[in-house]
């Protein structure tokens, strides 16, 4: 989705605004037995291993118009994975400058590299876990897309929502720092926004209930999403719905919806 820019700014130097999209997603399921819970963890570990996560982040960088400088990835034992990607808005030939030494080697000036690497990066960390007694298993992925310059990570929002098939998503977007125009006037934001929801595709909006908590004067935007419809079939792992008694179905649904409500609202809900 297009980011609506303010009137073209004539800047004194590089655009120093840092724009960060923090995307916290959750996938929840019910795994009846300890074996099923372990199988769920293994499934998640294979489905979202570091190789696939790196491919997702590479596509994110393509969507936002960034250039990949470096990728570091790691799978963990017993579970989980992390990927960190350093990116720049500039193309590689503008980042690496030719030296005037006798060796005539192309190498980066430290000041140029630090400016890009400190402020432009994409990271993802995964956290599969399960409740030891009640059969609830949860997969959480934390994604941060931080850019410095004209580009905005908001353009990758719908791609992330699609690739992680979130039951719940907690999204933060914030703009930090400032940039200057030719007269030295500071600009603390360079595009129009009043809600993250404006950048969620229509077909996604129809699936989710969404609430905002925004601090406009600080350029901080916060949106939470939770799926509107609940179908027990979509939340069972290793067990078919037809194998459950009516009482079991009711009890499992209560556990799942309570878990989702607690995550969505960020607090423990006492038993009635």
């Amino acid at each position: 989705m297009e980011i609506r820019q303010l009137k073209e700014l004539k800047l004194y130097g590089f655009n120093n605004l840092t724009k960060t999209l923090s995307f916290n997603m959750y996938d929840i399921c019910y795994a009846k037995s300890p074996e099923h819970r372990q199988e769920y963890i293994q499934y998640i570990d294979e489905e979202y291993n570091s190789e696939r996560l790196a491919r997702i982040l590479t596509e994110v960088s393509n969507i936002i118009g960034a250039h990949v400088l470096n990728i570091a990835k790691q799978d963990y034992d017993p579970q989980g994975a992390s990927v960190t990607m350093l990116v720049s808005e500039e193309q590689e030939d503008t980042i690496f400058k030719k030296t005037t030494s006798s060796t005539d080697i192309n190498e980066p000036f430290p000041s140029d590299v630090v400016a890009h690497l400190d402020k432009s990066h994409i990271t993802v960390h995964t956290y599969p876990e399960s409740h030891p007694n009640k059969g609830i298993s949860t997969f959480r992925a934390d994604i941060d897309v931080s850019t410095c310059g004209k580009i905005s990570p908001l353009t990758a929002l719908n791609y992330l929502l699609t690739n992680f098939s979130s039951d719940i998503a907690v999204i933060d977007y914030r703009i930090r720092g400032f940039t200057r125009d030719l007269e030295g006037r500071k600009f603390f934001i360079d595009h129009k926004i009043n809600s993250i929801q404006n950048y969620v595709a229509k077909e996604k909006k129809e699936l989710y209930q969404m609430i905002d908590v925004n601090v406009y004067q600080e350029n901080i935007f916060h949106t939470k999403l939770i799926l509107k419809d609940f179908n027990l079939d979509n939340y069972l792992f290793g067990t078919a719905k037809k194998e459950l008694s009516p009482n079991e179905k009711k009890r499992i649904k209560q556990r799942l919806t309570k878990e989702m409500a607690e995550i969505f609202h960020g607090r423990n809900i006492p038993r009635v």
Side-chain angles (χ1 to χ4, degrees), residues 78-107:
Q79 66 244 5
S82 296
V83 178
T84 299
M85 180 178 291
L86 302 177
V87 299
S88 169
E89 178 182 353
E90 304 295 335
Q91 291 301 309
E92 190 172 21
D93 58 359
T94 66
I95 299 169
F96 295 93
K97 300 181 178 180
K98 195 172 185 180
T99 68
T100 56
S101 67
S102 60
T103 55
D104 201 27
I105 299 174
N106 291 334
E107 58 184 33

Side-chain angles (χ1 to χ4, degrees), residues 98-143:
K98 195 172 185 180
T99 68
T100 56
S101 67
S102 60
T103 55
D104 201 27
I105 299 174
N106 291 334
E107 58 184 33
F109 286 108
S111 59
D112 293 332
V113 174
V114 170
H116 291 287
L117 300 194
D118 278 353
K119 298 179 182 178
S120 298
H121 62 269
I122 309 172
T123 64
V124 59
H125 306 284
T126 65
Y127 305 90
E129 63 89 32
S130 62
H131 192 290
N133 299 318
K134 295 190 176 181
I136 300 294
S137 294
T138 303
F139 167 59
R140 175 167 65 95
D142 292 343
I143 302 102

Side-chain angles (χ1 to χ4, degrees), residues 1-262:
M1 189 168 291
E2 183 181 358
I3 304 299
R4 293 170 293 173
Q5 297 287 335
L6 300 178
K7 186 178 179 181
E8 184 68 22
L9 300 176
K10 299 295 184 181
L11 301 180
Y12 174 75
F14 183 72
N15 188 329
N16 288 312
L17 290 172
T18 299
K19 304 161 190 171
T20 301
L21 179 72
S22 296
F23 181 86
N24 198 232
M25 65 76 60
Y26 298 86
D27 177 82
I28 296 102
C29 83
Y30 177 82
K32 188 174 182 179
S33 69
E35 292 76 20
H36 288 158
R37 290 194 284 274
Q38 186 57 40
E39 288 171 6
Y40 172 77
I41 298 295
Q42 291 174 353
Y43 162 76
I44 288 295
D45 248 18
E46 293 171 3
E47 184 72 8
Y48 294 100
N49 59 40
S50 63
E51 285 291 336
R52 185 188 176 205
L53 293 174
R55 290 195 297 270
I56 291 173
L57 296 196
T58 299
E59 183 58 27
V60 168
S61 71
N62 293 334
I63 291 170
I64 67 177
H67 177 77
V68 177
L69 298 175
N70 177 266
I71 301 174
K73 57 184 183 289
Q74 179 67 52
D75 291 296
Y76 298 107
D77 185 11
Q79 66 244 5
S82 296
V83 178
T84 299
M85 180 178 291
L86 302 177
V87 299
S88 169
E89 178 182 353
E90 304 295 335
Q91 291 301 309
E92 190 172 21
D93 58 359
T94 66
I95 299 169
F96 295 93
K97 300 181 178 180
K98 195 172 185 180
T99 68
T100 56
S101 67
S102 60
T103 55
D104 201 27
I105 299 174
N106 291 334
E107 58 184 33
F109 286 108
S111 59
D112 293 332
V113 174
V114 170
H116 291 287
L117 300 194
D118 278 353
K119 298 179 182 178
S120 298
H121 62 269
I122 309 172
T123 64
V124 59
H125 306 284
T126 65
Y127 305 90
E129 63 89 32
S130 62
H131 192 290
N133 299 318
K134 295 190 176 181
I136 300 294
S137 294
T138 303
F139 167 59
R140 175 167 65 95
D142 292 343
I143 302 102
D144 281 310
V145 185
S146 185
T147 65
C148 185
K150 293 181 180 180
I151 60 178
S152 172
L154 283 169
T155 52
L157 178 58
N158 290 294
Y159 175 78
L160 290 170
L161 282 171
T162 298
N163 271 269
F164 285 94
S165 303
S166 311
D167 294 317
I168 298 167
V170 180
I171 306 168
D172 294 287
Y173 181 66
R174 56 195 180 276
I175 302 104
R176 295 174 293 185
F178 63 87
T179 194
R180 295 180 188 271
D181 66 10
L182 295 177
E183 286 73 42
R185 183 187 177 197
K186 298 182 185 71
F187 285 84
F188 297 91
I189 190 169
D190 65 352
H191 65 282
K192 295 180 180 180
I193 178 174
N194 56 35
S195 172
I196 294 171
Q197 293 190 38
N198 295 343
Y199 300 91
V200 178
K202 182 180 178 181
E203 59 270 21
K204 295 294 181 186
K205 285 183 177 180
E206 293 173 353
L207 298 176
Y208 290 98
Q209 172 191 341
M210 296 183 283
I211 61 171
D212 279 355
V213 181
N214 299 324
V215 185
Y216 298 107
Q217 63 271 29
E218 299 295 335
N219 293 324
I220 297 174
F221 305 89
H222 177 80
T223 298
K224 296 195 289 188
L225 303 84
I226 185 169
L227 285 175
K228 293 177 182 177
D229 296 329
F230 180 91
N231 184 341
L232 185 58
D233 281 327
N234 297 332
Y235 293 89
L236 297 175
F237 188 90
T239 302
K241 187 177 177 180
K242 62 183 180 181
E243 299 173 10
L244 302 171
S245 69
N247 285 339
E248 283 180 309
K249 293 176 188 176
K250 181 179 179 180
R251 184 174 67 253
I252 293 168
K253 181 179 179 179
Q254 288 174 339
R255 289 179 180 176
L256 287 166
T257 53
K258 181 175 183 289
E259 178 84 358
M260 294 172 70
E262 289 181 338

